[in-house]
Amino acid sequence: MMVSTDERLTLETRLGEAKLALHRLEIGQNAVTLSYDGESVTYSGADRASLRSYIRDLETKLGLRRSSRPRGRGVSFG
């Protein structure tokens, strides 16, 4: 999917904000709020998986990842 320069800049900004929000949750902040397109979403520590999914989606749109689906771990027998 090709994105325009303006769309890319917007997505990169959102990705940076989302990664910072996840970092804040990881270091113990109780809740973080992200705002985009006139809407706000508040994530708490319990919402880490949802925030990680949002980050994967943004990375996919930017071409930094092939799929927004998390990769499964292979099984090894040893």
Side-chain angles (χ1 to χ4, degrees), residues 1 8 15 19 52-72:
M1 174 177 118
R8 182 167 197 76
L15 179 60
K19 285 183 173 182
R52 284 186 183 107
S53 177
Y54 176 60
I55 290 171
R56 283 192 304 273
D57 183 53
L58 290 172
E59 289 173 340
T60 299
K61 288 177 181 175
L62 285 166
L64 301 174
R65 189 181 267 278
R66 286 188 178 185
S67 170
S68 60
R69 248 182 90 217
R71 296 180 73 191

